[in-house]
Amino acid sequence: MQSVRIAGVGSTAFGVYPGRTGRDLFAEAVRVAIADSGVPRTDIDRLCYGNFVGTVAERQGHQGPLMAEAAGMNGPATRYESACASGGVALRGGVEAVRAGTADVVLVGGMERMNNLSTDQVTAGLAMAADDLYERRAGVTFPGAYALMARAYLDEFGGSREDLAAVAVKNHDHALDNDYAQFQQEITVTDVIDAPTVADPLGLYDACPLTDGASAVVLVSERYAERHNVNAPIAIAGSGQGTDTLALQDRSSFVRTPATERAASDAYADADITPDAVDLLEVHDCFTIAEVLALEGLGLYDTGTALTAAAEGETTADGELPVNLSGGLKAKGHPVGATGVSQVVELSKLLRGDHVNSDAVDDASVAVAHNAGGTVASAVVHVLEVTQ
Amino acid sequence: MTNSKNAGYDDLLDAVDADRGYYLECESGHGSLPPRRVCPKCGSTHLVEKPLPDTGTVSTYTEIQVTTAEFAGETPVVAIADFGPVQLTGRVLAEGNDIALGVRVSPTVTTSQAGERHLAFDYPTRR
């Protein structure tokens, strides 16, 4: 089995670009990633591409070939869709292709264009990740679904909205110097608590923003890197994916995310590590409660104990286990189909030492990316390791 | 999209509307909701209809302030209620400030502004 290396990474700045087409956003991210890799564009064997609501936002299906054109390549190109985990599953597709030896160079990317839609249109688009019959028709939105989980969590384990707010404050702090982030803006716990309610107990500042953007990475086999003298010091050493019921109502617990648990368990075994080895993480904090559930599902905290991690400083840049040093979905932004790829872009830079926040993790060697879809009906976990 | 029937789901709504709600049960006692051809927990293909309990208990709920167009101008309260063998998601039809964890609700059927029928909850004493 071929070892998978990250040869290059690139992203657009994340933000509000309602007039930019998806193909233009993606082309920019790819151009940066290919330049970063030093790999000739003509050597790309295939494209694995994540996107969720493009059929709604741009009335554009069949985006694989379109984005291959935008990237300037013509190998096999496939769109992966697993709601907000679309980028993560696209990455996993690329990892599997390199490992299987069916490709030596894979371009993995993701893109989402959201701000050309009205708020109710994009809310409806995102709600398509829920069970149409039993959830969406009854009025469940994604903030609503995570609010259902947050209320259950606070009821079962205690804690406060201030504890949740600390997650948002932390991730905004991390994004302050990240020029790729949508919000480079400090907020306080009071700001979070006083923000308008979206779905109680969650308010506007508990939620990630609507974001336009794209990300891309160039994966190469170890064999290719050696033959072509490509500098690719970061390996994707572990990959795992988990699935749960689509509808919350079909789960035995609203405060655990078994899809994350399964994805993490498989990824750690694949990389031959335990959770103790993890130095830093990018996790799927689409809502403040989601970061809490992710840390517990990833085995880094026992169930019911991660709520205070941000408030206690354990997951801040200077804490024991920095989480979402990019700013996370909360502050960096969440262009849905790009997010799972963006996490790996940010982690690669953090590990290589060329991220604005690299100083916070200068001796780190193992990083984890966690990308979730829906109410974590899909979860993808990747383990990145420094090899040189 | 047409207004085609969603077989299984609409049949359940018809039954709930007639106070004859049901769920599906496999021989291992796993409950599920239609449309199903196999038990999602064990894969059994032997599913039979069982009467849905008259009331369930609210496990979690929220009042949604930012809605889709189907609920424009409304702030729907949505809950998940435990009916024993199955849990149901529904819009709470009674006043939102009456809702609380542990409250008992009964299933009913309502229609959104878009004309889509869906499950809802009422309080047993009001029915």
Side-chain angles (χ1 to χ4, degrees), chain A residues 134 136 148 151 198 200 249, chain B residues 34 60-63 65 89:
Chain A
Y134 285 104
R136 200 272 305 165
L148 293 169
R151 188 181 301 283
V198 176
D200 64 322
Q249 67 182 20
Chain B
T60 186
Y61 67 92
T62 184
E63 182 173 7
Q65 305 289 334
T89 307

Side-chain angles (χ1 to χ4, degrees), chain A residues 40-72:
Chain A
R41 193 178 295 260
T42 50
D43 279 5
I44 298 172
D45 295 314
R46 69 175 62 185
L47 168 64
C48 298
Y49 166 79
N51 175 262
F52 177 31
V53 295
T55 51
V56 175
E58 296 195 295
R59 295 176 178 269
Q60 184 64 67
H62 208 180
Q63 291 197 14
L66 180 73
M67 296 306 170
E69 281 183 63

